[in-house]
Amino acid sequence: MALEAFFLPASPGQRFVLLHGPDEPSRLRGAVVYVHPFAEELNKSRRMAALQARAMAAAGFAVLQIDLLGCGDSSGDFGDATWEAWLADIEFACDWLVRRRPGTPLWLWGQRTGCLLANEAANRMKRPVNLLFWQPVLSGKQFLQQFLRLRLAAEMLGSDSKGVMERLRNELRQGDSVEIAGYLLSPALASGLEKAELLLPHRSGRVEWIEISSKTDGSLSPAAAARLTQWQAAGQSARGASVNGPAFWQTAEISECPALIEASMLAIAGADST
């Protein structure tokens, strides 16, 4: 497996990427762009993302991991990020990878809020895109509410919690950025996230949805089962699976979920790509 780390010129600045390639490029099975999760979930997930990317490359896939604007080692600060800028980064990454691997099936692999971005980006692109979802967030509005509560929890410790949520929302509505758990959240990013929802994909391609659960019976959450049933009824090729393991994007220590890697490989390599 070949691994390259470099910066791609972008607008604005540059984006840091990791490119994992198969040992035999002539037997390429597909191209994959990873769309990482939000804020601290990105850092907690780096180990699992790396392990999955290596497994995909070993199976014949070219995998591009990109740090979006204001994230990781890419240009800008988190406070510079907007939802539209992140969508543009994803399309830019897909175009770059596909130009160098023409004719191969394209996958967007999203995690958590990355699934919202991947799905919206796929709907905007003029090519078939397959989607691999890891523990997808269904509602950006709900996720934003949970993220803002991190500030509420901090201020409760300081006995200054009265009206915190409403004050934060007012500041965002007035065009001011707010600091949440060490991340400066811009009004543009908050607005885009709040409007995002995991809706029916519009492009021809497969959807592979994988959740992590403490259950051992392999059942999906009711929300996931309902969403997949709705998509299937609309003619979308969509499947769901549940695996047992830790919620590594939020654990105190960096943790791994081998069952998720195995299920993901079965999802993207176990059947012909469209």
Side-chain angles (χ1 to χ4, degrees):
M1 183 201 75
L3 173 62
E4 300 175 69
F6 52 95
F7 289 93
L8 287 175
S11 180
Q14 54 190 3
R15 303 293 177 269
F16 178 74
V17 298
L18 291 172
L19 178 62
H20 303 256
D23 290 330
E24 299 182 54
S26 61
R27 301 180 63 183
L28 189 65
R29 301 176 64 180
V32 182
V33 173
Y34 172 60
V35 187
H36 61 67
F38 196 86
E40 195 58 25
E41 290 188 1
L42 161 61
N43 296 322
K44 296 282 189 179
S45 302
R46 284 199 183 276
R47 173 66 177 167
M48 275 296 296
L51 292 173
Q52 184 66 74
R54 292 172 197 165
M56 289 175 172
F61 292 84
V63 185
L64 187 71
Q65 295 176 257
I66 180 172
D67 287 349
L68 302 175
L69 174 66
C71 301
D73 292 316
S74 286
S75 295
D77 297 320
F78 193 85
D80 300 321
T82 69
W83 196 254
E84 284 297 321
W86 282 356
L87 288 168
D89 279 355
I90 295 165
E91 188 166 1
F92 164 70
C94 290
D95 288 343
W96 185 90
L97 188 58
V98 168
R99 281 199 307 270
R100 284 152 182 80
R101 277 88 181 163
T104 56
L106 174 64
W107 286 84
L108 273 173
W109 157 32
Q111 182 190 340
R112 303 283 290 142
T113 53
C115 299
L116 293 171
L117 285 162
N119 195 49
E120 190 168 345
N123 288 342
R124 295 184 180 193
M125 287 190 284
K126 298 177 180 179
R127 62 169 64 96
V129 184
N130 299 306
L131 296 165
L132 172 64
F133 290 156
W134 274 11
Q135 201 75 24
V137 169
L138 305 188
S139 167
K141 182 176 183 179
Q142 185 178 45
F143 183 89
L144 177 62
Q145 183 79 359
Q146 293 168 349
F147 187 62
L148 294 177
R149 282 177 183 153
L150 295 176
R151 174 72 174 269
L152 175 61
E155 297 207 12
M156 285 179 67
L157 294 175
S159 301
D160 186 26
S161 61
K162 186 177 181 180
V164 172
M165 292 294 286
E166 186 58 31
R167 186 179 79 243
L168 291 175
R169 290 192 172 277
N170 282 337
E171 289 177 9
L172 289 169
R173 282 194 288 266
Q174 291 167 10
D176 297 325
S177 297
V178 297
E179 187 274 326
I180 308 291
Y183 291 88
L184 191 63
L185 178 68
S186 72
L189 181 54
S191 176
L193 174 60
E194 188 168 37
K195 294 173 184 175
E197 186 177 349
L198 202 64
L199 300 174
L200 175 69
H202 292 249
R203 297 291 174 193
S204 57
R206 289 161 46 202
V207 177
E208 299 288 348
W209 178 313
I210 307 176
E211 289 187 331
I212 292 181
S213 172
S214 59
K215 300 177 182 178
T216 57
D217 61 359
S219 61
L220 291 166
S221 66
R227 190 65 55 99
L228 285 169
T229 298
Q230 179 188 48
W231 289 1
Q232 290 162 354
Q236 176 69 49
S237 175
R239 299 187 303 181
S242 176
V243 299
N244 188 251
F248 57 87
W249 58 91
Q250 62 184 19
T251 54
E253 300 294 331
I254 300 299
S255 55
E256 300 176 9
C257 181
L260 178 59
I261 296 173
E262 182 179 355
S264 299
M265 295 312 303
L266 288 173
I268 72 166
D272 291 337
S273 299
T274 55

